[in-house]
Amino acid sequence: MRFLLSCLLFCSLSSAAVQPVRLECEARKNPLGIDSARPRLSWVLESAGKGQKQTAYHILVASRPELLLPGRADLWDTGEVASEETINIPYAGKPLQSSQRCLWQVQSRDQSGVWTKSAANAEWTMGLLDAGAWKAGWITSQGGALVPGPLPLFRKEFEVAKPLRRALLHVSGLGQHEVTFNGLAASDHQFAPAWSDYRKRVYYETLDVTSLLKLGRNAAGVVLGNGMYNVAGGRYAKFTASFGPPKLLLSLELEYADGSKQVVGSDASWKTAQGPITFSCIYGGEDYDARLEQSGWDRAGFDDSAWQSATGSEPPGGTLVAQFSPPVLVQKTHKTASVKETRPGVFVYDLGMNFAGRPRIRVRGAAGQKIRLTPGELLDEQSRPDQNATGSPVWFEYTLKGTGLETWTPKFAYTGFRYLQVDGVKPESVEGEFIYADAAATGQFESSSDLLNRIHALILQAIRSNLQNVLSDCPQREKLGWLEQVHLMGAGLAYNFDLRNVLPKIAADTRDAQLVNGMVPDIAPEYVVFTRGFRDSPEWGSTAVLAPWQAWTWYGDRRPVEQSFQTIQRYVDYLDRQSNRGILSYGLGDWYDIGPKFPGESQLTPKGITSTAIYYQDLIVASQAAALLGRKVEEQSLARRAAAVRAEFQRKFYDIAKQSFGTGSQTSNAMPLVLGLAPAGSMKALVGHIADDVRARGNHTSAGDIGYHYVLAALAAGGRSDVIYDMATATSAPSYASQLARGATSLTEAWDANPGASQNHFMLGHIEDWLYQWLAGIAPDPTALAWKRVILQPHPVGDLQSAGAAYDSPRGTIACHWTRTSKGVKIDVVLPPGVTGVLNQPDGKARAQLVSGAAHFAFSDFR
C-alpha cells in the first residue's frame, strides 16, 4: 500500500539515533497568540534504529535566536531531564509577557547516550494575557442588531515611522471579520474568529502582518460579517437571534528595529461606512452590489471625509480568549463537471461533489445586471436545485459594476450543495470553494475492496464538510454543534483528523452552554433553545463528560479534564436528579433508527436503555477523572453511584431467561455489552442475538445515530467482524453501498439516502473506527496513555485480499497492513521510536511483541 511503503521507506532513510522533529507548542506549529502562562511543548521522534526510544530531553527557550544555546537561554533551560515523554511538556521558565516571542529547541538522548538536536528550531508568540494588555476599545457603526445588511466597513490610516522588526495584530471582529492592510488580506482564514457563546467567551486572532506594512503612510481596513453573532434572517435561517450589532476590537502592535513600540488600536478615530455587501446571513446567503464598491477604501490616501466616525461600544460580555482551534480555510476548489440549460436563460451547474462551501464566479456584463446563484444538494423533477430538506430560500446574488471581467465569491455565508442554478447573466466560469477547518489529516486507509474505499471516502467528505468552527451535523439547514456525534464518532474522527485543538474547543463550548441546574443542552454553543428532547437528551449532553476524557486518553491532554471537572460533576448530579433509582427514561433515544415509521425519535429501543447506559458511562468516566485529579472522595462516591445504576439497570432491563436486554433490538443488546452493564458471562449470547438480528434483516442494521456505534463495537469485540463486513458491503438499503448506488458523494442523514433528509451528515459514519481499529488492526493499549503502547490486531475478513491503515499519532506514525498469500497472511507494521506494542491474532492471542521500527511477519495460521 502506498502509505505503508512510504513509512517503510522513510524508516530506511532516517538516522539510527532518535531525532526530535515536528516541534509544536500547544499542538500547533509556530503558533501565534498563546495565552496560557505555561504553554505545553511536544515533539515527535524519528529513527531508523529498531527499538529506539528517548531516555532524556533538554529544552532551551530564548527571546532571541543568538541566545538559543546551552548556558545562554534567557527564558528556560531545563538541563538534562531523564524522561521518555515527548508530549505536553509544560513550560516552567521565566514568566512570559503579552505578545512575547519565544524561540525554542529540544535535544533528545537515545538508549546509547547519543544526543541529537531538533532538525529545526521552533517558536511561539504569546497573546494578550489580561484585559489590561488591550490598548484598544470595542467600536461599531450606526447599524443595529438583527439587520442582515448592509455590512459595515472600518478604516484607519497610521504612520510607520521607522524600520519595523515585527507587526503583530490582535483582532476580534464580531460576528466575523476580514482584515486588510494596504489592500492585502491579513490572513486566509474564513468565518473568523471561532464561534462561541459571545456573552461568556469571545475569541480573538493573533496574526503577523509585518510583510503587509511599509515605511510611511499605511491603512487598515476591516469588513465585519454577521456570522452566528447576529442571525437576522430575511431568508432561510434555522433561528433568528442576536448578541448585538457587529463590532470590532483591534490592536496592532508595531515593534521597531530600534526596540521602540507603537500601538494602533480601535477607537472613535476610526471611520466607518456601509459596504457593498447588502445582505448577509450565515444560513440564507449573501448579496453583493459591486456598484457600491469604494475603490481604495482600505489603502492610504483614500478620501474618507464622507465616512462617519466609529462609535464606542460595550463589550459583548464574554472573556477575551486567544483562538486555539484550527482556522477555517478554503481547502479545495471544485470545478464545473457539467452544465445544463434547463429553460431559456437558466443554467444548472453540477460541481460533481456535495460539499460545504460557497460559489465563485467570473462574469462579464453591464452595470446593474444581476446574477443569482441558487444552491442545492439534489435536483427536483424540473432539474432545479431542491431546497426542501435543507432550508429555503437560500441564494447568493451579485450585481455587476460593468467594468469587464468580474470575480466574486461571498465572504460570510456558506452552505452545503452540489448544484447551482444561475439566473440572469451567464458567467464565464462557476466553481465551488470547499471550506472546512484546518485540522491536519492524520489517517490513511486502503483495502482491496473498491467499495470499502469508496465508503471511507464518502464518510470523509461528510466529516470535512462539518468540520467548521463547531462540529456541525450538516452544513446547510443546521450548522449547529449537535453534540452526540462528538463522542459517538470520537475515535473515527480522531483516526482521520487531528483533534488536539478541536476537542478542547468543544469542551469549552459545553462548559459555556451548561445551565445553572447542571443540564447540558443538545447543542453547544446554544444559539437557539429547542424544546423536548431536542434540548435535553443525555446521549447528547454527555459530550460534556466524554470529550474532555478523550482529549486525555487519546492525546494525553489533561487540561480539558481539569477545566471541565466541575461541569462533569454538575452534569452527572443533574442526571441523577432526573432519574428514578438511577434509571433515566427520556430524551431522543436511538435517533433515526430503522422502524416502521419515518425516522426520528427511537422506535425499536426503549429510551431507558440508551439514556441510562450513557449516564452509567458518564459516572464511570467521572470517577476516572476524579482519580486522575487526585480527588479520592469524589472518585469513590462516583464509583458507588455507577455500581448502583448498573445493578438497577440489570434488574429493570435484563431478561435472564432470554439473555437479552429490553426489546432485544440490536441497540438494546449492544449498548449494555459495550459499556459494561451486561452480566458476566453474557457476551457470547448478546453478540449472538445482535448477529442473528443483522442476518435476519438481510445483513442490515436496525440501529440509529446512537446505537450503531455500539452495534459495531459489540460485534467487533465479540469476534464477528464478518457480520460487520457483510453489513458494510450490503448493496440494498439501508447501507452505505445503497447510498453510493443512489449517487451520494457525501454520507447522508438517512440510511436509505432519503431525498427528504440531508445529503451531507456524518452521524452514521461510525464504521471508520472499525476500519482502523479492527480491520486494519490499529488500536491504543488502554493501559498506556496516548498511544505509548499499541495493540495491533488486524482482522482479515470476507473476500478481502488486503487492508491496512496508517495513523499519525501524537507520538509518530503507526502503520499496519495485511495481505493474504498462498501460505496464509503477511503483515507489515511500523511503530515510531518510544512506542511498543503487541501483534495479536483476531481472537486476541498474542503472536509477537513489537518495538519501534518496521517489521514483517508471515503466518500460515493467522485466525
Side-chain angles (χ1 to χ4, degrees):
M1 300 173 72
R2 292 190 302 273
F3 57 84
L4 185 64
L5 290 174
S6 66
C7 292
L8 296 172
L9 179 62
F10 180 81
C11 287
S12 68
L13 296 177
S14 299
S15 166
V18 294
Q19 180 170 46
V21 298
R22 235 172 64 191
L23 276 60
E24 293 177 324
C25 173
E26 292 296 332
R28 294 153 59 193
K29 181 180 179 181
N30 298 333
L32 301 171
I34 297 296
D35 62 0
S36 169
R38 298 186 68 197
R40 282 96 43 93
L41 307 179
S42 303
W43 56 93
V44 167
L45 298 173
E46 289 182 350
S47 171
K50 201 167 183 63
Q52 272 284 23
K53 65 179 181 179
Q54 172 186 283
T55 59
Y57 65 76
H58 186 179
I59 299 173
L60 300 176
V61 184
S63 60
R64 301 196 305 275
E66 62 269 22
L67 298 178
L68 203 57
L69 296 168
R72 296 197 66 193
D74 58 333
L75 296 179
W76 193 31
D77 185 335
T78 65
E80 297 180 10
V81 179
S83 174
E84 295 183 17
E85 193 55 83
T86 61
I87 61 174
N88 297 321
I89 309 298
Y91 172 85
K94 292 181 180 178
L96 301 175
Q97 308 300 314
S98 292
S99 302
Q100 184 170 5
R101 185 187 184 199
C102 306
L103 299 101
W104 72 286
Q105 66 171 228
V106 62
Q107 297 183 57
S108 291
R109 186 182 68 198
D110 69 8
Q111 292 163 288
S112 303
V114 176
W115 285 90
T116 305
K117 190 175 72 170
S118 49
N121 296 333
E123 65 178 88
W124 79 86
T125 297
M126 300 300 290
L128 298 178
L129 299 181
D130 56 71
W134 283 91
K135 308 303 180 186
W138 287 96
I139 58 174
T140 187
S141 66
Q142 301 301 314
L146 286 176
V147 176
L151 296 183
L153 309 177
F154 294 85
R155 72 180 308 272
K156 171 73 175 181
E157 292 195 19
F158 58 94
E159 196 79 19
V160 174
K162 296 173 283 189
L164 277 174
R165 177 180 296 158
R166 197 179 202 196
L168 205 61
L169 174 69
H170 308 285
V171 58
S172 182
L174 303 180
Q176 321 283 192
H177 60 240
E178 182 183 83
V179 184
T180 59
F181 288 96
N182 301 317
L184 301 173
S187 79
D188 57 357
H189 300 171
Q190 309 297 318
F191 314 125
W195 303 350
S196 63
D197 180 341
Y198 302 99
R199 294 192 180 94
K200 296 181 179 179
R201 188 184 308 264
V202 175
Y203 289 105
Y204 69 89
E205 289 195 297
T206 297
L207 304 168
D208 188 327
V209 296
T210 311
S211 64
L212 306 182
L213 304 184
K214 59 186 180 181
L215 276 173
R217 204 70 177 160
N218 291 262
V222 181
V223 187
L224 294 185
N226 287 315
M228 285 291 186
Y229 183 79
N230 184 43
V231 182
R235 293 177 196 159
Y236 170 74
K238 181 70 178 180
F239 64 93
T240 55
S242 179
F243 292 87
K247 59 186 62 176
L248 170 67
L249 180 68
L250 181 149
S251 177
L252 174 65
E253 300 178 358
L254 304 176
E255 181 183 351
Y256 291 112
D258 62 7
S260 61
K261 296 182 179 180
Q262 175 188 349
V263 175
V264 178
S266 51
D267 57 24
S269 68
W270 284 59
K271 304 297 276 302
T272 182
Q274 294 180 352
I277 300 176
T278 58
F279 176 94
S280 185
C281 176
I282 194 72
Y283 287 100
E286 192 164 290
D287 296 346
Y288 188 95
D289 189 340
R291 299 171 301 175
L292 302 178
E293 291 177 349
Q294 300 187 54
S295 179
W297 71 273
D298 55 355
R299 293 176 174 84
F302 174 77
D303 181 5
D304 61 11
S305 59
W307 288 36
Q308 297 178 323
S309 296
T311 303
S313 175
E314 288 295 315
T319 301
L320 281 163
V321 178
Q323 179 170 328
F324 57 87
S325 58
V328 175
L329 304 177
V330 176
Q331 303 278 7
K332 184 177 181 180
T333 299
H334 288 292
K335 297 186 180 299
T336 296
S338 65
V339 59
K340 178 181 180 181
E341 188 171 14
T342 57
R343 55 187 185 273
V346 178
F347 298 88
V348 173
Y349 290 76
D350 180 359
L351 299 178
M353 292 288 290
N354 191 348
F355 63 97
R358 61 196 181 192
R360 179 178 179 87
I361 60 170
R362 294 176 179 85
V363 61
R364 298 177 189 271
Q369 286 188 297
K370 297 180 184 293
I371 177 172
R372 177 175 292 189
L373 310 168
T374 303
E377 294 187 309
L378 299 171
L379 299 178
D380 63 16
E381 294 178 353
Q382 285 76 45
S383 296
R384 299 172 302 188
D386 186 350
Q387 296 183 348
N388 287 328
T390 56
S392 178
V394 178
W395 75 77
F396 305 91
E397 188 168 272
Y398 180 76
T399 303
L400 282 76
K401 57 186 173 184
T403 56
L405 184 63
E406 303 177 37
T407 301
W408 177 70
T409 186
K411 288 186 187 297
F412 301 119
Y414 80 101
T415 190
F417 68 106
R418 172 176 174 171
Y419 302 97
L420 280 170
Q421 177 175 298
V422 174
D423 293 87
V425 182
K426 185 182 180 183
E428 294 195 3
S429 68
V430 174
E431 299 172 332
E433 294 183 341
F434 192 3
I435 302 175
Y436 55 91
D438 197 32
T442 53
Q444 297 180 69
F445 168 83
E446 287 182 4
S447 77
S448 58
S449 167
D450 178 65
L451 178 57
L452 274 188
N453 297 338
R454 292 173 63 207
I455 290 169
H456 173 59
L458 188 80
I459 297 169
L460 287 186
Q461 183 73 359
I463 293 174
R464 292 187 182 101
S465 292
N466 288 285
L467 192 57
Q468 303 292 334
N469 277 311
V470 297
L471 197 55
S472 65
D473 68 336
C474 59
Q476 1 73 10
R477 68 167 189 259
E478 294 281 352
K479 296 187 174 71
L480 299 172
W482 290 94
L483 292 174
E484 91 290 2
Q485 299 170 109
V486 178
H487 67 88
L488 294 170
M489 277 287 290
L493 291 166
Y495 275 119
N496 286 297
F497 296 96
D498 184 354
L499 303 185
R500 288 178 297 168
N501 282 310
V502 175
L503 290 173
K505 163 65 163 60
I506 294 170
D509 287 340
T510 60
R511 292 197 300 272
D512 290 347
Q514 188 172 42
L515 307 186
V516 293
N517 66 357
M519 188 196 88
V520 176
D522 292 1
I523 60 171
E526 193 181 23
Y527 293 126
V528 55
V529 175
F530 292 114
T531 58
R532 298 172 40 246
F534 293 103
R535 191 184 196 200
D536 181 14
S537 191
E539 303 89 345
W540 276 249
S542 292
T543 282
V545 180
L546 303 177
W549 192 243
Q550 185 184 359
W552 165 247
T553 58
W554 198 278
Y555 297 117
D557 187 354
R558 176 187 170 112
R559 187 183 292 164
V561 180
E562 294 172 335
Q563 294 173 332
S564 295
F565 187 69
Q566 185 179 16
T567 297
I568 292 170
Q569 285 183 301
R570 293 176 59 218
Y571 186 58
V572 296
D573 288 347
Y574 169 79
L575 293 180
D576 179 65
R577 294 193 300 272
Q578 309 310 306
S579 74
N580 179 13
R581 295 172 55 89
I583 301 298
L584 295 170
S585 299
Y586 73 96
L588 298 174
D590 192 13
W591 177 256
Y592 249 67
D593 64 348
I594 304 169
K597 298 181 289 187
F598 189 84
E601 294 189 28
S602 183
Q603 301 181 56
L604 304 182
T605 303
K607 292 182 179 180
I609 294 277
T610 56
S611 58
T612 308
I614 289 289
Y615 173 40
Y616 175 76
Q617 184 181 19
D618 290 345
L619 288 169
I620 293 295
V621 168
S623 177
Q624 293 171 328
L628 172 66
L629 302 179
R631 305 177 73 126
K632 193 70 176 178
V633 173
E634 291 97 326
E635 175 196 356
Q636 294 174 344
S637 173
L638 289 160
R640 285 193 298 269
R641 289 165 60 181
V645 170
R646 184 175 187 272
E648 185 64 16
F649 185 91
Q650 289 184 10
R651 187 196 69 79
K652 184 173 180 62
F653 295 113
Y654 188 62
D655 187 320
I656 298 175
K658 295 181 179 178
Q659 290 187 283
S660 180
F661 281 93
T663 58
S665 68
Q666 294 174 21
T667 298
S668 290
N669 284 323
M671 286 192 74
L673 178 58
V674 173
L675 294 177
L677 285 159
S682 63
M683 180 175 186
K684 182 177 180 180
L686 291 170
V687 171
H689 292 324
I690 298 167
D692 289 347
D693 193 76
V694 171
R695 297 298 194 201
R697 295 172 182 271
N699 291 325
H700 292 130
T701 188
S702 64
D705 179 20
I706 305 301
Y708 183 53
H709 165 83
Y710 299 98
V711 169
L712 295 176
L715 289 170
R720 298 306 306 270
S721 281
D722 61 315
V723 178
I724 296 175
Y725 179 65
D726 291 343
M727 277 198 298
T729 56
T731 56
S732 59
S735 69
Y736 298 119
S738 68
Q739 295 184 24
L740 290 167
R742 294 191 63 161
T745 58
S746 181
L747 187 64
T748 64
E749 180 179 16
W751 270 119
D752 60 356
N754 188 317
S758 164
Q759 303 298 297
N760 197 340
H761 255 66
F762 75 94
M763 74 179 187
L764 297 175
H766 307 114
I767 202 169
E768 285 297 307
D769 188 3
W770 180 76
L771 294 177
Y772 282 91
Q773 180 175 347
W774 299 97
L775 185 58
I778 300 174
D781 187 329
T783 66
L785 179 66
W787 297 91
K788 184 67 174 171
R789 181 174 170 81
V790 299
I791 298 173
L792 301 185
Q793 189 173 335
H795 282 66
V797 66
D799 57 356
L800 280 176
Q801 296 304 302
S802 66
Y807 170 57
D808 191 9
S809 82
R811 303 184 189 276
T813 300
I814 300 163
C816 184
H817 173 243
W818 59 263
T819 304
R820 294 189 195 272
T821 70
S822 59
K823 297 180 180 180
V825 176
K826 180 171 72 75
I827 300 174
D828 299 310
V829 303
V830 173
L831 296 185
V835 174
T836 60
V838 61
L839 175 64
N840 290 343
Q841 1 184 89
D843 62 7
K845 182 179 178 181
R847 296 301 300 267
Q849 297 298 316
L850 303 173
V851 295
S852 64
H856 314 274
F857 303 90
F859 300 108
S860 60
D861 61 343
F862 196 81
R863 61 188 184 280

